[in-house]
Amino acid sequence: MKKHKLGLSTRTFIILISLSAVFLLVTVLIQSTFFNSFFARTKKKEINEAMTSVITCISYDDDSLQEQCENVALYYNVCILITDESMNTIAFSEGAADCPLARMDSNALRLMYENARNNGGAYSKEENRSDPLFPPNKMQDDPHVDRHDPGQRTSYFKVSIVSTDSGLSRVIFVNAQITPVRNMTDSLRIQLSVLSLVMLILSFVLSFIYSRQLSKPIIEMNNEADKLARGDFDVHFEQESGSRELDELGEKLNHAARELSKVDALRTELIANVSHDLRTPLTLITGYSEMMRDLPGENNPENLNVIIDESKRLSQIVNDVLDVSKYQSGSVTLDKSRFCLTDEILAITERISAFTSANGYIFDFDYSEKAYVLADRTAISRVIYNLVSNAINYTDSEKKSFEIKQTIEAGTVRIDIIDHGKGISQEELPYVFDRYYRSNDTHIRSVLGTGLGLSIVKSILSAHDARFGVTSSPGNGSDFWFSLETCE
Ligand code: ADP
């Protein structure tokens, strides 16, 4: 494990805090960079609107013009001056403090008027002036003043020449500062600083809570996974973490832990079963061999047959274990060919008939026509053989009967192997095809098997993409079935 790496909660915390810091920095930068130009644009718009409003008032007589002029100036926070062509004041209103217009002499006004006249009756200009509230000498004395700011403020002038109803010319000057006053920017800066600080503290606290919340279920899962890796299957992965992906992960890990514990239990059981099944024939083989060696009268074909039968049983157990590993590791390639499934079943029933009739079993193969399939002949024979063996093994000692049923429908052939034996309980039914599974019931000696027969059946049928299953009820027997596609 790489110990030097940061934990999830620390990483999340750092990322969230960095994001908040970047966000705040960008906000502050945007505010400080664009505030002035935004303010100037808004103010210019107001000056233009004020000019339009004054132009509509020009039809009023000169006496009421002053009142109208004041209304507009106060409304838009601008200074308005209306003169005749000789720059004699007709109306003046100072709707905003600090308008250079209020202090301008007639020459300067005339210059702007001339420009407007030469420009078709309208003229506008921007002018930089020293901030009278912060003259350069005052700035130098005041340690709180930003020395890089020269104390310059920009003023915007708009001039229009209009004619009254009686044909007289009127010159309208509208003016206001388009640079925000220093105390406005100062208060904004303080506001921003306080806001940034509050936001930073808030994001610090929220990031801390959120990162803890996010990492808590993962840390818990990690601890449980550690236990699982050590072979402790009594684990529980959180499924109420509040996030969908983590809940799903928890659910899957719980499922995996359950499956692992099942496999582990089955493996332990297999070892017990296999060792039990190996020990019994081995004991018999040794016992009979010693008896034949030591007691000359016991050296007869019956005793030899016991040894041969038990040896066969041994090799069957070993073969089953090998086969299931081969099929489940996927190292077996199917050798598919077209063959008659019905004939294959008939051949198997023929082979077992000597055994079944000798032991009093009755069985029936029910089919109406021959079915041909494209499959691995040996493997499918193995499936049928295993299922038939189980039907014989698990059949009731009183009702020694079973049947094989073949039905062809819509391009598929279905084989049912039905016995009237002890059946399988609903709790055990989902596990019968599992590797190593054997019913909890104690096995009678006559029952051969390693708990691998159905696992081999499942592997072969899955490799053929065949459908298969089982229906069973305790006391009434079982119906193991599979279906394959038919071919002409
Ligand atoms: P085994 O070698 O033990 O027969 P299988 O994989 O063939 O192993 O079967 C697994 C388990 O399923 C058996 O131990 C048995 O409990 C149950 N089983 C299989 N076939 C039948 C059946 N026809 N009737 C009742 N139980 C069955």
Side-chain angles (χ1 to χ4, degrees):
M1 205 178 289
K2 288 171 184 161
K3 292 277 182 207
H4 62 275
K5 283 204 171 174
L6 286 178
L8 184 71
S9 84
T10 320
R11 272 176 72 97
T12 319
F13 179 72
I14 292 174
I15 290 172
L16 287 175
I17 275 291
S18 315
L19 272 178
S20 318
V22 168
F23 176 75
L24 275 175
L25 205 77
V26 170
T27 315
V28 170
L29 269 175
I30 288 180
Q31 279 281 22
S32 55
T33 315
F34 297 113
F35 179 72
N36 280 9
S37 63
F38 180 73
F39 184 87
R41 222 182 12 251
T42 316
K43 204 66 216 173
K44 273 185 190 175
K45 202 168 146 252
E46 279 180 0
I47 293 169
N48 288 338
E49 281 171 10
M51 177 60 89
T52 316
S53 298
V54 178
I55 290 171
T56 54
C57 303
I58 284 300
S59 52
Y60 293 101
D61 58 55
D62 286 351
D63 297 337
S64 56
L65 209 53
Q66 176 62 35
E67 192 188 334
Q68 296 304 324
C69 179
E70 258 162 30
N71 288 342
V72 176
L74 285 172
Y75 184 78
Y76 288 105
N77 278 317
V78 294
C79 295
I80 301 169
L81 171 68
I82 304 172
T83 65
D84 59 15
E85 283 173 302
S86 316
M87 297 298 111
N88 295 319
T89 302
I90 295 167
F92 174 70
S93 179
E94 207 170 352
D98 182 32
C99 285
L101 189 67
R103 298 181 297 276
M104 277 172 115
D105 60 22
S106 57
N107 286 339
L109 293 173
R110 190 178 304 282
L111 195 68
M112 284 197 279
Y113 160 67
E114 295 291 338
N115 283 333
R117 211 177 51 189
N118 297 336
N119 200 37
Y123 172 69
S124 62
K125 74 160 184 172
E126 279 178 25
E127 199 174 276
N128 284 334
R129 282 163 177 256
S130 294
D131 189 340
L133 295 174
F134 291 88
N137 54 350
K138 188 183 172 195
M139 279 173 66
Q140 266 154 33
D141 303 339
D142 187 347
H144 303 296
V145 172
D146 178 2
R147 280 168 219 289
H148 299 292
D149 182 351
Q152 290 271 304
R153 295 193 66 202
T154 307
S155 192
Y156 183 67
F157 294 85
K158 194 156 173 81
V159 187
S160 288
I161 305 168
V162 285
S163 298
T164 61
D165 292 346
S166 45
L168 297 167
S169 272
R170 292 290 176 256
V171 189
I172 309 165
F173 299 85
V174 183
N175 167 231
Q177 300 284 4
I178 59 170
T179 311
V181 284
R182 181 165 284 273
N183 55 9
M184 185 189 275
T185 48
D186 279 353
S187 77
L188 197 86
R189 203 168 291 148
I190 292 164
Q191 256 183 37
L192 258 174
S193 313
V194 173
L195 194 79
S196 305
L197 197 76
V198 171
M199 290 281 286
L200 252 160
I201 295 170
L202 251 173
S203 60
F204 189 89
V205 174
L206 290 179
S207 305
F208 183 73
I209 296 172
Y210 180 69
S211 59
R212 287 290 294 262
Q213 246 182 18
L214 188 81
S215 59
K216 193 172 157 248
I218 298 176
I219 292 168
E220 279 171 10
M221 278 187 186
N222 202 6
N223 293 340
E224 292 297 279
D226 265 351
K227 280 206 265 172
L228 190 62
R230 286 196 300 270
D232 178 357
F233 298 110
D234 188 21
V235 289
H236 177 73
F237 291 94
E238 182 65 64
Q239 277 174 254
E240 302 291 330
S241 68
S243 100
R244 185 170 48 81
E245 290 85 351
L246 285 181
D247 288 357
E248 280 176 8
L249 181 67
E251 193 185 318
K252 281 172 193 158
L253 286 172
N254 278 333
H255 179 70
R258 275 198 302 274
E259 292 301 307
L260 272 175
S261 80
K262 253 190 271 164
V263 170
D264 192 62
L266 290 172
R267 200 192 51 206
T268 317
E269 208 179 311
L270 169 88
I271 294 169
N273 286 343
V274 170
S275 29
H276 172 265
D277 287 346
L278 285 177
R279 206 181 308 123
T280 318
L282 278 173
T283 316
L284 283 172
I285 292 168
T286 325
Y288 273 77
S289 312
E290 283 173 355
M291 193 166 74
M292 287 166 74
R293 185 195 62 196
D294 300 340
L295 309 168
E298 292 297 327
N299 198 344
N300 55 42
E302 288 79 35
N303 286 348
L304 255 180
N305 266 342
V306 173
I307 295 175
I308 293 167
D309 283 350
E310 293 305 317
S311 307
K312 280 183 185 159
R313 176 180 233 171
L314 265 183
S315 71
Q316 188 213 327
I317 297 170
V318 173
N319 284 344
D320 268 7
V321 173
L322 286 179
D323 279 352
V324 84
S325 319
K326 249 183 353 192
Y327 278 114
Q328 295 202 340
S329 68
S331 61
V332 176
T333 43
L334 296 176
D335 180 17
K336 284 191 179 178
S337 64
R338 180 182 177 275
F339 68 93
C340 179
L341 184 66
T342 321
D343 284 347
E344 204 58 38
I345 299 171
L346 282 170
I348 292 170
T349 55
E350 184 69 36
R351 254 189 282 150
I352 60 164
S353 62
F355 170 82
T356 48
S357 51
N359 290 281
Y361 286 94
I362 308 165
F363 79 90
D364 178 39
F365 178 26
D366 175 16
Y367 68 97
S368 53
E369 56 180 304
K370 295 212 170 175
Y372 289 86
V373 291
L374 183 70
D376 186 320
R377 191 180 190 142
T378 322
I380 295 296
S381 296
R382 183 77 190 272
V383 168
I384 300 161
Y385 194 80
N386 282 3
L387 295 178
V388 169
S389 307
N390 279 351
I392 294 171
N393 278 338
Y394 299 104
T395 209
D396 207 297
S397 51
E398 280 142 38
K399 291 179 269 171
K400 285 186 167 179
S401 68
F402 66 92
E403 63 184 289
I404 307 172
K405 219 165 86 185
Q406 175 195 289
T407 32
I408 302 177
E409 207 180 87
T412 57
V413 52
R414 173 173 161 138
I415 306 294
D416 286 84
I417 291 138
I418 306 160
D419 67 61
H420 307 288
K422 65 186 181 79
I424 304 164
S425 69
Q426 294 305 305
E427 298 84 62
E428 291 185 296
L429 213 49
Y431 308 112
V432 285
F433 284 99
D434 283 352
R435 193 173 174 176
Y436 311 144
Y437 178 78
R438 294 195 85 186
S439 130
N440 285 332
D441 298 357
T442 46
H443 287 79
I444 43 170
R445 173 74 183 96
S446 62
V447 176
L448 295 179
T450 51
L452 297 172
L454 287 181
S455 175
I456 296 174
V457 167
K458 180 183 173 180
S459 308
I460 295 173
L461 292 175
S462 303
H464 279 84
D465 289 328
R467 294 182 61 228
F468 60 93
V470 55
T471 51
S472 184
S473 66
N476 292 325
S478 317
D479 175 356
F480 281 86
W481 64 271
F482 68 90
S483 59
L484 287 168
E485 276 179 31
T486 55
C487 70
E488 291 307 311

